Amino acid sequence: MSTAVAGPHATRAPGFWQSTNGKKAVMAITGAILFLFVIGHLLGNLQVFDGPARLNAYGRFLHNLGELLWIVRGVLILCVVLHIVATVQLWARNRKARPVGYKVKKSVASSYADRTMYWSGPIVLAFVIFHLLEFTAGTIHPESRFIPGDVYHNVVAGFSVWWVSAWYIFSLILLGMHLRHGIWSMFQSVGLNHPRHTPVLKQAALWIAILITAGYISIPISVLAGWVR
Amino acid sequence: MKLTLTIWRQRNPGSRGKFVSYPMNDVNPEMSMLECLDVLNESLIERGEEPVAFEHDCREGICGSCGFMVSGIAHGPEPATTVCQLTMRHFKDGDELVLEPWRSRSFPFLKDLVVDRRSFDRIIQAGGYISVSTGSPQDGNDIPVGKEVADRAMDAAACIGCGACVAACPNGSAALFTGAKIAHLGILPQGKPEQDRRAVRMVAQMNTEGFGSCTNIGECTGVCPKEIPLEVIAKMNHDYLAGAWKERHKVVTAITPVTDWELAKK
């Protein structure tokens, strides 16, 4: 049996968006913007510890931004859509890249967080939708009434339900794992890697992810423990 | 020592394959994995059975011909080792080793443990070279290269193109291979003039071949017998992003391979 190439023909090469590298760069940049949002949102949320007046004033401030608020929301939605579309397309491509699987396959270098990005991502997405319905739209607000404008009341009432808090904590731990890989991976995807800086960046990614997760989780824990009421 | 080798046996791409277990009673711990297969093949030939097909050439870990999965790890459990250099003393008496070929859409299956890795050749053909005019050579000392730069280029140039990176990658990505080939030339002054074109064309060929995308998890580096660093993938991404912008006016073409066994399947 000969395996000689019978008829190679030149084709137009995949463009930027068609290439895996281009899609990963888009994922890195959209991921970076969403990461900045996660930090900003955390700083805003932590004002819950300053009492109702402060948090509700912050809520009013955001709503009074008017068009600017919708521009920011638009950018975030665009980032989420691009991040997900690129992921889904690459995932489909990667599944096709190995039609016959291995009988035995062991991981030797990757971490649990690295390998579960395909799981942490969709679960965090489901959480974000639930979170928006609960605290922004107010359509889901178990066991209490959603009061538009009274952010502090909504937070305390929402997190007083144990399973809402549990779901929140679980999702935020997954977000932390997603960030633990994503924070350093986005630098790699846009071509920034240095033998000296990258090990530091990987350590920093771990600690930033832990700090962000701890910061967010402190809110439902404080509500459940009765420190914030 | 006693070992059981459970090996993927498949006569050709069209036939159905299956795992066959071969108990081996007299394995010398000093033998390499390939020598162990040689001994097995001797006995198979004596019994009138088809010997196990596997690729090999230099048997000193530098040619890149050999390679298969040993119990789930490309080139076996020893780091920085090809299967020809993997000695059997690393296994325990009574172990069962599962030998499988590289599994990738871009490495079409041929026979037993042998796959067609010419997709790698086509990626190199797309730009993994420097164009040098003929004539009398320039004096080597005219091109100063710092020791650190030479070392980085050499680290990338150590790639032997065995395909373990693709085989180990859960996404079947060839990013480490392509990155190594782009980096080892692009780092040196001789490779700089063609850096943009090289990155764009080699990445285009890599993407045309149907390899998966890189998710930066590092399984490739973990199994690489030459320990090529993940840094080369960043170098590829960097050169590709810069090159795709600078060369945006150019129409880039890639080769779509059509092999006769693919035609035979249709």
Side-chain angles (χ1 to χ4, degrees), chain B residues 76-98:
Chain B
E78 280 297 296
T81 309
T82 53
V83 279
C84 64
Q85 294 279 291
L86 176 68
T87 44
M88 305 311 286
R89 63 170 171 268
H90 296 299
F91 300 106
K92 287 198 291 290
D93 195 44
D95 274 359
E96 187 200 4
L97 305 182
V98 181

Side-chain angles (χ1 to χ4, degrees), chain B residues 138-255:
Chain B
Q138 193 180 2
D139 188 284
N141 293 327
D142 278 356
I143 310 167
V145 180
K147 175 78 167 75
E148 301 78 11
V149 176
D151 283 350
R152 275 178 65 216
M154 189 59 217
D155 284 348
C159 171
I160 54 176
C162 64
C165 44
V166 176
C169 177
N171 310 312
S173 168
L176 195 71
F177 168 80
T178 312
K181 297 303 172 196
I182 288 174
H184 85 99
L185 295 171
I187 289 170
L188 292 175
Q190 291 92 334
K192 290 275 188 229
E194 291 166 299
Q195 185 174 348
D196 296 328
R197 194 188 334 162
R198 177 183 307 116
V200 169
R201 293 187 49 148
M202 290 178 78
V203 164
Q205 188 62 40
M206 176 185 83
N207 283 306
T208 306
E209 295 290 347
F211 290 106
S213 75
C214 177
T215 49
N216 304 332
I217 68 170
E219 281 297 318
C220 48
T221 307
V223 299
C224 177
K226 298 297 153 189
E227 298 183 308
I228 305 288
L230 273 191
E231 190 194 337
V232 301
I233 296 179
K235 172 79 177 148
M236 165 180 69
N237 290 332
H238 178 274
D239 287 5
Y240 170 72
L241 293 175
W245 177 250
K246 286 190 228 164
E247 306 258 306
R248 62 190 182 279
H249 57 286
K250 286 191 184 161
V251 175
V252 183
T253 54
I255 300 294

Side-chain angles (χ1 to χ4, degrees), chain A residues 59-135:
Chain A
R60 273 196 303 280
F61 161 72
L62 288 182
H63 275 277
N64 290 339
L65 289 176
E67 290 84 19
L68 189 62
L69 180 66
W70 275 106
I71 292 171
V72 173
R73 282 173 172 172
V75 171
L76 289 175
I77 289 169
L78 182 69
C79 285
V80 168
V81 169
L82 284 174
H83 199 76
I84 292 171
V85 169
T87 311
V88 170
Q89 290 177 347
L90 288 177
W91 172 79
R93 181 191 169 104
N94 295 348
R95 274 178 63 97
K96 276 195 275 178
R98 180 161 297 138
V100 182
Y102 291 111
K103 181 184 180 186
V104 189
K105 179 73 174 69
K106 291 181 190 136
S107 298
V108 295
S110 53
S111 72
Y112 185 75
D114 292 338
R115 292 192 301 273
T116 51
M117 292 295 275
Y118 285 130
W119 290 101
S120 54
I123 295 172
V124 168
L125 173 69
F127 163 75
V128 167
I129 293 169
F130 177 85
H131 192 66
L132 286 173
L133 290 176
E134 184 179 20
F135 289 121

